[in-house]
Amino acid sequence: MGTDRFTLPFRVFRVFRGSRRMEFSLANRTASLSVGEFANFALGPHESGGGPSGLWRAQLGQHWHNELQIRTQAEAPAAQFEVVIDGRLTHRGWTFHLNGRIDQLVGDTFREIKSVTRPLPADEATLRADYPPYFLQLAAYLVLFAVRRHGQTPGGQQPATVPRSHPKAELIFVEAGSGLSQTITLTPFDEALVHHQLDAIVEFLTLRQRATERRRSLTFHPAFATLRPGQETIQADLASSLSPPASVLFFEAPTGYGKTGCVLEFALSQMRAGRFARLIWLTGKSTGQLQVVRTLEQMTAGSRLAFWQVRNKAEHCVNHTFHCVRDGCNYLRDCAERWPGSGLAKFYLDDAQPHDLATLRQAGRDALICPYEITRTALAFNDVWIGDFNYVFAPDNRGLFYEQPGFDPAETLLVIDEAHNLPSRTADAHSHSASQNDAHTLLAELDHLRAPSPLLLALEEWTRLLASLQPADSLDPTLEAEVHDTVVKLADLVATQPLDYAALGPHHAETLWQFAALAEFLDDSKLTKLLWVPRAGELSFTCIDAAASIGETLKAYGGAILMSATLQPYDTLAAACGIEVEPDLRAGSARPEVGLHSFATLSAPTPWRAGAYDVAVDVRVDTTFKQRASYYGTTAATIESLHAAASVVGGVPSPRAVAVFFPSYAYAESVQRALDNSGSVLRVTLQPRGTDLAAQAAWVEENLALADVLFLVLGSSFAEGIDLLGGRVTHAMVVGPALPEVNAIQKARLAAFNELGRDAAFRRVYQIPGLQKVNQALGRLVRAPGQHAKVLLHCRRFAEISYASLLAADYQQYQEIASESDLREWLGA
């Protein structure tokens, strides 16, 4: 598909739709695509009622295709099946090469078979309205045949037996659950629609040409008017690091370095040079996405760069209830028909059109079209996509990106911020759960709606199975096999049984559609899986390692930058992302290696952080779960001493808050009680639970001014997502390394890595995630030159080499605190 550098005479792009692909050359004005892709192409919403997807939907009607083939062979022995038809069509200066396979050729009749879940027979007008691509696909075969028959285009293939006259065409609908069929004959009007479809594709190609010219002439301002020490060579460093053979770069830079601006500047320069046609920027935090948007707005002020921040579907929703069932939502039902006259094309035709969430929601209300469909349609014409990890790595969400016309990962630079979270986020995205309560209420509702009895019987079996489950860290093989068989049976039934999803409602519909996802999960060999029972009647389908899936995804991209303040150890992250490391280098390496694909590492120089941290390790206490209660009093007294030291600057009283980080709420609450019981007068405040980012920031601002001590939880957004502590908190304390909770999932992960050895497995499953949380929290205390922080690591484990070696380099030079006098001396220094 060639390179994407503008210096070559032409570029070839690929358009992905599931497993299909459209290739086109803007310079040569040619496009090649399958007839199925041609028929399904649309600018605007796609009529879809939701439902089972992926492999199960793809295999929906294979059984009936085979049955009808056997029947036709008996009736017409000369019939041909899966007949290849291809040819070229010229339209508005473009040449289109279309190819496909017609299901049946019986004499002078083309037949295409389509399985549906709706009851048949149905009104012809209804079928035409609900399944226009099916009619268009068959009509395209007729047009291709006519063009070839009249010799209007060279090349192409014909059936082995060519009809002597213009053939008829029949579209055979088959009710998947019963095999009932209904035949509709195509008309000349259907053939005329082929030319309207060509118009739509030409419009898309014209807009793609405009986007190419826009990138080629892109102008932008540097990310920083004045470079911070350490940024002087970063653009050259990024360019040399992300170059062949390396297609993946691990870029580590501390909080406050300016990673976002530096990488955006690099990405825009690479797009302008033609190396990449698109930038995808992923981050799990909405604050990070907003920062990217603000930085892009500043850098590209006055230019025409098109970028789009993708918010989740629920945030777009303007319905009184969050629906995603077409027939149950006025904004989804028939929205494809309303789109042409809605005026919403302005969101991709006009680069200057605002598309913030409020604007999208109002436009959707006015046009009676789901705002999420505006985002879905406009994305294809934007150069930069900004969103959550899920849009690339979650099977339930990635279709929004991967089904966009014109999207090709090989032409795309993928940037993943906070990439240390990628392995766990991806594993979570592949995980599912099922409960007896949901199954029981679904069964009752389906029974009320008189659903087909095979589905009711299978669901009743599933409900009984879930009800029999008692808490367990894993399922025995026999029970696991029973779960698999039942899930597969239900996935097949859901895909083939006609149901009124609007009457069923969105919650129950989602529960039904989940069976396809569960079946795909169970059959996915790329995932390391655990089936376990956390509570009676609740079954968890947990992905404990998605490395192979992540690696397969990353491998498809033209380039990927995984960045964070806490990526090291690099070899462990590479393995967790499915990038193989040579066995003799698994202990750690900073040079590019070749595995699934090459990777390189880059650590940003930060001379201004030298000496910014004064670190001590308090070896007086043991914060392990079994021992921590014995030291609550010592921990409380140490917090008193830390606050007293922070409140004196140059011998002058200057009250200020200190931050104390805990592994859990429970631990923090225990120490808070110990302070209260000791008669402490410190104003201690513990971070609230379940608040949004705005409320979190307001809480931090208020309590930095009013409280003496802020109790924060390691790994939470307060500790990792709020950048308000730098330069304002000069004294901090970390109460123990935040090792993950010992539970069924961690035990399974430990077992999965047993081949590494006991110590190495413990390091990967417990120590690395725990110390990453510590490094993340401490990194936010020094965010700019001139800032300093005094940090007490309050647990003797921090002095053990296996823990100390995982601390960031800035925290590895420390003083040991073995007595009260040592603490007073260090605090007074």
Side-chain angles (χ1 to χ4, degrees):
M1 286 357 78
T3 179
D4 49 9
R5 293 189 180 280
F6 292 117
T7 53
L8 294 184
F10 65 90
R11 294 177 69 191
V12 177
F13 295 82
R14 287 171 284 188
V15 175
F16 287 82
R17 285 275 187 200
S19 61
R20 299 182 299 270
R21 167 187 304 179
M22 176 167 75
E23 300 178 357
F24 57 90
S25 168
L26 298 176
N28 293 340
R29 298 177 69 82
T30 60
S32 176
L33 65 163
S34 74
V35 174
E37 172 66 16
F38 170 82
N40 282 279
F41 184 90
L43 294 179
H46 292 252
E47 287 289 8
S48 172
S53 59
L55 177 63
W56 300 95
R57 188 160 189 150
Q59 294 178 342
L60 178 64
Q62 190 59 48
H63 169 73
W64 296 116
H65 272 71
N66 295 339
E67 287 292 316
L68 289 178
Q69 180 173 330
I70 293 171
R71 189 183 308 169
T72 301
Q73 280 177 322
E75 297 171 352
Q80 301 174 62
F81 304 95
E82 297 296 325
V83 178
V84 174
I85 296 180
D86 72 3
R88 293 184 177 87
L89 302 177
T90 301
H91 189 78
R92 301 192 185 281
W94 285 84
T95 299
F96 297 89
H97 179 204
L98 303 181
N99 62 87
R101 295 175 180 269
I102 189 76
D103 288 334
Q104 298 184 1
L105 175 56
V106 185
D108 290 345
T109 302
F110 286 179
R111 289 179 179 172
E112 190 71 8
I113 301 166
K114 299 295 182 183
S115 299
V116 296
T117 56
R118 68 177 307 135
L120 295 176
D123 181 70
E124 179 176 334
T126 300
L127 292 175
R128 287 182 173 276
D130 286 353
Y131 305 103
Y134 294 170
F135 291 86
L136 190 54
Q137 181 176 351
L138 185 53
Y141 286 127
L142 286 179
V143 172
L144 284 174
F145 173 79
V147 169
R148 288 287 297 118
R149 182 169 176 269
H150 290 91
Q152 295 177 12
T153 180
Q157 297 185 28
Q158 286 299 327
T161 302
V162 180
R164 289 171 294 179
S165 60
H166 189 72
K168 294 190 303 181
E170 296 177 345
L171 188 58
I172 302 176
F173 287 92
V174 181
E175 185 180 318
S178 66
L180 292 174
S181 64
Q182 179 178 353
T183 300
I184 296 178
T185 302
L186 261 62
T187 68
F189 174 77
D190 294 304
E191 296 181 49
L193 292 177
V194 172
H195 300 284
H196 289 282
Q197 185 73 341
L198 288 170
D199 282 338
I201 299 179
V202 167
E203 180 187 0
F204 162 74
L205 294 170
T206 301
L207 291 170
R208 291 295 298 164
Q209 181 69 59
R210 184 185 74 168
T212 300
E213 294 168 355
R214 180 175 61 214
R215 290 191 303 274
R216 184 182 300 174
S217 60
L218 178 64
T219 59
F220 56 89
H221 307 290
F224 305 102
T226 302
L227 295 178
R228 180 173 289 180
Q231 294 179 341
E232 298 89 350
T233 63
I234 195 61
Q235 293 303 313
D237 293 342
L238 287 167
S240 61
S241 298
L242 191 65
S243 59
S247 61
V248 175
L249 171 64
F250 294 145
F251 176 41
E252 186 175 76
T255 302
Y257 175 81
K259 292 187 294 294
T260 298
C262 291
V263 174
L264 277 175
E265 186 172 335
F266 169 75
L268 295 181
S269 66
Q270 296 292 300
M271 292 171 67
R272 181 173 59 189
R275 182 178 178 186
F276 301 108
R278 177 170 281 116
L279 167 65
I280 293 180
W281 191 290
L282 304 180
T283 176
K285 300 170 183 173
S286 58
T287 51
Q289 296 173 23
L290 292 172
Q291 182 185 2
V292 175
V293 170
R294 287 193 297 267
T295 306
L296 277 174
E297 288 173 343
Q298 295 166 3
M299 293 179 65
T300 62
S303 74
R304 297 187 304 145
L305 180 74
F307 56 89
W308 197 284
Q309 181 194 3
V310 180
R311 307 294 284 269
N312 66 49
K313 193 176 292 187
E315 290 181 284
H316 283 78
C317 183
V318 291
N319 211 333
H320 56 83
T321 304
F322 179 35
H323 289 284
C324 277
V325 179
R326 181 187 64 181
D327 292 337
C329 175
N330 291 333
Y331 293 89
L332 286 172
R333 184 172 51 248
D334 302 324
C335 65
E337 296 177 13
R338 292 191 296 276
W339 180 271
S342 68
L344 296 178
K346 65 185 179 182
F347 284 99
Y348 62 81
L349 293 175
D350 182 3
D351 295 335
Q353 169 64 40
H355 52 261
D356 56 276
L357 193 60
T359 300
L360 293 177
R361 287 167 57 88
Q362 187 58 54
R365 285 193 192 95
D366 294 342
L368 200 65
I369 289 176
C370 175
Y372 195 70
E373 295 303 320
I374 305 175
T375 288
R376 188 195 304 276
T377 301
L379 268 183
F381 307 101
N382 280 262
D383 306 302
V384 181
W385 300 345
I386 306 159
D388 188 83
F389 292 175
N390 287 345
Y391 294 113
V392 171
F393 294 98
D396 290 344
N397 307 99
R398 70 199 309 261
L400 179 67
F401 282 8
Y402 278 75
E403 293 178 5
Q404 289 296 327
F407 172 60
D408 181 1
E411 303 280 350
T412 302
L413 174 62
L414 176 66
V415 176
I416 305 171
D417 196 7
E418 301 297 333
H420 63 282
N421 291 322
L422 178 61
S424 60
R425 281 291 310 275
T426 304
D428 289 345
H430 281 85
S431 300
H432 307 273
S433 65
S435 74
Q436 171 198 354
N437 290 338
D438 283 346
H440 181 75
T441 55
L442 173 61
L443 179 60
E445 187 64 23
L446 287 173
D447 184 60
H448 173 71
L449 295 175
R450 301 179 182 273
S453 57
L455 178 59
L456 291 175
L457 290 172
L459 191 57
E460 187 176 351
E461 178 186 350
W462 176 245
T463 304
R464 285 198 303 267
L465 191 158
L466 291 175
S468 70
L469 298 177
Q470 295 301 314
D473 286 353
S474 63
L475 298 187
D476 67 69
T478 302
L479 183 55
E480 191 164 320
E482 183 180 355
V483 167
H484 179 272
D485 292 345
T486 307
V487 164
V488 169
K489 180 193 298 183
L490 280 161
D492 285 336
L493 288 168
V494 171
T496 57
Q497 300 297 313
L499 292 169
D500 185 347
Y501 285 105
L504 189 60
H507 175 73
H508 293 311
E510 286 291 341
T511 304
L512 264 185
W513 294 336
Q514 185 189 36
F515 288 112
L518 292 178
E520 290 186 17
F521 170 85
L522 292 172
D523 290 336
D524 191 340
S525 61
K526 297 187 297 295
L527 306 178
T528 303
K529 300 176 279 285
L530 171 69
L531 271 63
W532 63 294
V533 186
R535 285 167 291 277
E538 182 176 327
L539 179 58
S540 290
F541 299 75
T542 302
C543 173
I544 60 174
D545 186 10
S549 178
I550 297 171
E552 182 178 76
T553 300
L554 291 176
K555 187 177 182 180
Y557 282 84
I561 299 176
L562 281 67
M563 65 182 197
S564 171
T566 55
L567 294 179
Q568 297 190 53
Y570 292 123
D571 65 305
T572 301
L573 179 62
C577 292
I579 305 172
E580 294 180 352
V581 180
E582 295 178 9
D584 59 327
L585 295 169
R586 290 186 185 276
S589 172
R591 69 181 183 85
E593 304 300 340
V594 178
L596 290 179
H597 41 280
S598 298
F599 73 93
T601 65
L602 174 64
S603 295
T606 52
W608 48 273
R609 286 172 65 90
Y613 288 88
D614 181 1
V615 181
V617 173
D618 193 344
V619 297
R620 299 174 301 157
V621 297
D622 182 352
T623 63
T624 58
F625 186 78
K626 291 182 179 180
Q627 300 297 326
R628 64 182 54 165
S630 302
Y631 297 96
Y632 287 159
T634 304
T635 301
T638 304
I639 292 171
E640 292 270 13
S641 300
L642 187 72
H643 178 261
S647 299
V648 177
V649 179
V652 178
S654 179
R656 65 173 64 199
V658 300
V660 182
F661 298 94
F662 289 89
S664 66
Y665 277 96
Y667 199 165
E669 289 164 349
S670 296
V671 173
Q672 190 169 16
R673 285 192 294 271
L675 279 165
D676 293 340
N677 293 338
S678 69
S680 173
V681 296
L682 291 179
R683 294 166 296 178
V684 177
T685 180
L686 172 61
Q687 70 175 57
R689 304 172 190 254
T691 57
D692 59 28
L693 287 170
Q696 291 170 14
W699 180 89
V700 172
E701 287 286 2
E702 178 182 357
N703 286 285
L704 281 175
L706 301 179
D708 297 316
V709 184
L710 277 63
F711 277 11
L712 306 173
V713 178
L714 291 164
S716 70
S717 54
F718 282 93
E720 295 190 11
I722 303 296
D723 295 327
L724 299 174
L725 304 183
R728 303 170 74 181
V729 171
T730 60
H731 289 63
M733 177 171 160
V734 179
V735 184
L739 303 191
E741 175 189 3
V742 177
N743 56 27
I745 297 174
Q746 302 307 332
K747 291 176 183 177
R749 295 190 72 229
L750 203 62
F753 297 124
N754 265 345
E755 64 179 23
L756 302 177
R758 180 178 178 179
D759 290 345
F762 182 79
R763 182 174 185 266
R764 178 160 175 177
V765 174
Y766 288 100
Q767 290 178 311
I768 290 175
L771 272 296
Q772 274 186 340
K773 294 176 183 178
V774 173
N775 290 332
Q776 277 283 326
L778 297 183
R780 282 168 162 72
L781 300 179
V782 175
R783 291 179 43 82
Q787 295 178 357
H788 296 83
K790 210 172 186 71
V791 176
L792 181 65
L793 303 178
H794 187 68
C795 179
R796 62 186 56 155
R797 284 178 290 174
F798 284 115
E800 298 175 14
I801 187 61
S802 62
Y803 288 87
S805 63
L806 293 173
L807 291 169
D810 291 319
Y811 323 134
Q812 289 191 8
Q813 299 295 321
Y814 56 81
Q815 176 181 333
E816 287 193 4
I817 304 297
S819 64
E820 182 68 26
S821 60
D822 288 345
L823 179 64
R824 286 195 301 270
E825 181 181 350
W826 176 72
L827 288 173

